[in-house]
Amino acid sequence: MSIKRSFIREILEAIDEKTISFAGGLPSENLFPTQDLKEATLKILDNPKVYQYTVSNGINELREQIALRYTKEGFPTTKDNILITTGSQQAMYILAKFFENKDITIEEPSYLGAMNIFRLNNLKMKGVKLENDGVNIQEFEKSFKNTKLAYLIPDFQNPSATTYSLEKRDEIVKIVEKNDGYLIEDSPYSELFFDKKMPYISAKLPKNSFHLGSFSKTLVPSYRIGWIRADEKLIQSIMIIKESIDLHSSGFSQYILAEYLKDEAKYEKHLQEIRDDYNKKASYFSEQLNLIMPEFKHEKPKGGMFLYGTFGQGVDTFALVQECLKKKVVYVPGNQFYIDKIPNGEIRFNYTHSNFEQIEKGIKLIKSCL
Ligand code: PMP
């Protein structure tokens, strides 16, 4: 197979305990609600059904809870619009299989894990430049006319932290409708806003969109539970792919989540704790960069888990990371997020997994390698 593995997955396997890692998109373990999850687990533990095979689309209780959250946000949804997946990573795989061999418009830079799935399923990616308020609309329109399919991450994008303006969200809706195409909206970070939540683009495209969600960034990634929200007919058409891959996502994880989510106020409180903590870390990371390495131009993130920026021309961050690895600090070079992977001066930093001391030390180590 000619497709290379993800640089990030390889790095995660290669680094040792002493390395300060700004590479993987890991949530902060200190924020996992372990006690509440333990209580939810204890409540379901004696019920034999949680150990049995279950339905392919996901247990009713969990699909209902997810549907309710959309409906409350003004995006009417029932459990029949929801397909539970093994992380949103699998959601993307299912959709890539569904649209196999087609052309797809993506943002550049974009999420590495999605790009690899598209390559594996022979989807031809057409990159559109991402500006600081979303994709360049003229370029997007030109590309979408041909592909009639797009994959976008409009909230606190991985890797660039970009969030689409309301205007650009509306423009995307018009273009998708006019061309009668499909939008895949990937939203794992939308709840991690520091200021306000933006409306989903999919909400105005209920028949032409797949909205992807996940509990990996808001609760714990280990349960491997994500979902696709789509028109009921579309859900029915992709079910065969889900069934063929793994019959169903972990029933055990689904029952724990459904139990935990019964207490909405508790989940909301937990989300707010994450937002507050990540906001502090994002500020600290940005301040330290300005202090120690002012040549790295960036904006403080407004949510999510990443800080993105550039040294500009003249610094090859792919070469630099090899030096950094020797000094036991690592990040992801920006070229990894482009279709052609030509080295550039950009870097993606994950700021959620390190503590304040590691953030300062890590940036100083990178500076010493420059
Ligand atoms: N989409 C994006 C944009 C991501 O950053 C990630 C995780 N890095 C995923 C999807 C996959 O997340 P999960 O499978 O854990 O839900």
Side-chain angles (χ1 to χ4, degrees):
M1 189 178 310
S2 62
I3 297 158
K4 285 219 175 94
R5 289 189 59 210
S6 147
F7 174 85
I8 304 170
R9 305 297 324 165
E10 286 187 23
I11 282 280
L12 282 177
E13 283 166 25
I15 56 179
D16 59 28
E17 294 252 301
K18 290 198 191 107
T19 303
I20 297 175
S21 176
F22 302 134
L26 305 187
S28 167
E29 279 134 44
N30 299 333
L31 294 164
F32 292 157
T34 47
Q35 198 52 38
D36 290 335
L37 292 174
K38 183 178 163 187
E39 275 167 31
T41 311
L42 285 174
K43 282 193 187 141
I44 63 147
L45 217 47
D46 291 330
N47 190 341
K49 79 173 177 190
V50 308
Y51 305 99
Q52 187 54 281
Y53 277 116
T54 185
V55 285
S56 296
N57 53 350
I59 64 167
N60 283 345
E61 297 90 319
L62 184 60
R63 288 186 299 131
E64 271 159 12
Q65 312 254 27
I66 294 169
L68 189 67
R69 289 186 70 83
Y70 280 111
T71 306
K72 281 192 176 161
E73 282 183 43
F75 185 8
T77 302
T78 74
K79 68 176 180 2
D80 299 325
N81 299 120
I82 306 291
L83 169 65
I84 301 293
T85 59
T86 302
S88 51
Q89 192 70 19
Q90 187 187 57
M92 266 176 288
Y93 196 93
I94 293 170
L95 296 177
K97 195 81 201 154
F98 186 62
F99 290 112
E100 202 173 18
N101 300 325
K102 295 221 172 4
D103 291 351
I104 186 165
T105 302
I106 66 163
E107 299 150 336
E108 267 200 303
S110 185
Y111 171 48
L112 190 55
M115 291 163 86
N116 275 345
I117 289 182
F118 298 150
R119 283 193 190 99
L120 268 176
N121 289 282
N122 210 21
L123 276 111
K124 197 143 194 294
M125 292 177 275
K126 310 282 175 189
V128 171
K129 193 169 163 255
L130 199 52
E131 297 165 344
N132 60 8
D133 60 346
V135 277
N136 177 296
I137 291 294
Q138 284 74 34
E139 270 187 48
F140 179 83
E141 180 154 30
K142 209 167 138 211
S143 178
F144 195 82
K145 264 188 195 159
N146 295 320
T147 63
K148 300 199 187 300
L149 173 66
Y151 168 75
L152 304 180
I153 312 160
D155 299 295
F156 321 116
Q157 199 233 22
N158 177 6
S160 69
T162 305
T163 290
Y164 283 50
S165 63
L166 285 173
E167 293 73 28
K168 286 208 172 167
R169 285 171 200 256
D170 287 344
E171 293 289 343
I172 303 279
V173 171
K174 279 190 219 147
I175 296 167
V176 174
E177 274 178 340
K178 198 164 88 188
N179 291 282
D180 199 20
Y182 289 101
L183 171 69
I184 301 173
E185 182 178 21
D186 189 10
S187 284
Y189 305 103
S190 55
E191 293 287 358
L192 306 183
F193 54 87
F194 303 155
D195 180 15
K196 61 175 187 299
K197 187 164 178 177
M198 296 293 267
Y200 297 136
I201 300 178
S202 299
K204 289 193 181 164
L205 286 169
K207 298 244 183 267
N208 291 53
S209 63
F210 297 91
H211 189 254
L212 274 44
S214 173
F215 290 113
S216 291
K217 322 292 175 181
T218 57
L219 279 169
V220 288
S222 73
Y223 289 167
R224 307 304 304 127
I225 298 292
W227 66 88
I228 301 176
R229 189 260 174 231
D231 181 68
E232 204 182 322
K233 278 204 201 110
L234 287 175
I235 294 283
Q236 289 307 323
S237 355
I238 58 178
M239 277 294 292
I240 174 71
I241 306 173
K242 166 67 187 168
E243 275 171 31
S244 313
I245 298 176
D246 62 356
L247 303 182
H248 62 78
S249 300
S250 161
F252 195 63
S253 299
Q254 291 185 60
Y255 279 108
I256 299 172
L257 279 172
E259 184 60 43
Y260 171 86
L261 291 170
K262 274 184 191 164
D263 189 343
E264 257 183 87
K266 195 167 59 187
Y267 185 42
E268 283 307 326
K269 189 166 163 271
H270 168 68
L271 287 173
Q272 196 52 48
E273 273 167 23
I274 304 183
R275 291 171 196 137
D276 293 345
D277 185 272
Y278 287 2
N279 193 2
K280 276 190 210 131
K281 278 201 179 146
S283 300
Y284 189 74
F285 209 113
S286 175
E287 281 160 24
Q288 291 302 305
L289 279 170
N290 288 335
L291 217 66
I292 302 163
M293 208 160 58
E295 55 274 62
F296 184 77
K297 303 292 171 218
H298 70 280
E299 273 181 37
K300 195 209 134 182
K302 296 185 175 70
M305 294 174 35
F306 303 107
L307 184 152
Y308 201 78
T310 183
F311 288 113
Q313 299 291 333
V315 177
D316 171 353
T317 53
F318 190 71
L320 181 68
V321 80
Q322 321 296 332
E323 290 308 306
C324 288
L325 269 168
K326 290 179 203 157
K327 293 214 174 167
K328 300 217 172 289
V329 59
V330 64
Y331 59 79
V332 185
N335 71 322
Q336 296 298 309
F337 307 107
Y338 287 81
I339 299 169
D340 60 17
K341 298 201 175 164
I342 294 171
N344 60 34
E346 297 166 19
I347 288 182
R348 185 195 81 176
F349 289 115
N350 163 265
Y351 56 79
T352 57
H353 193 247
S354 312
N355 60 34
F356 290 97
E357 200 186 317
Q358 289 166 326
I359 291 171
E360 187 187 337
K361 192 170 164 205
I363 297 171
K364 282 185 175 154
L365 285 171
I366 296 169
K367 172 78 179 186
S368 74
C369 295
L370 259 181

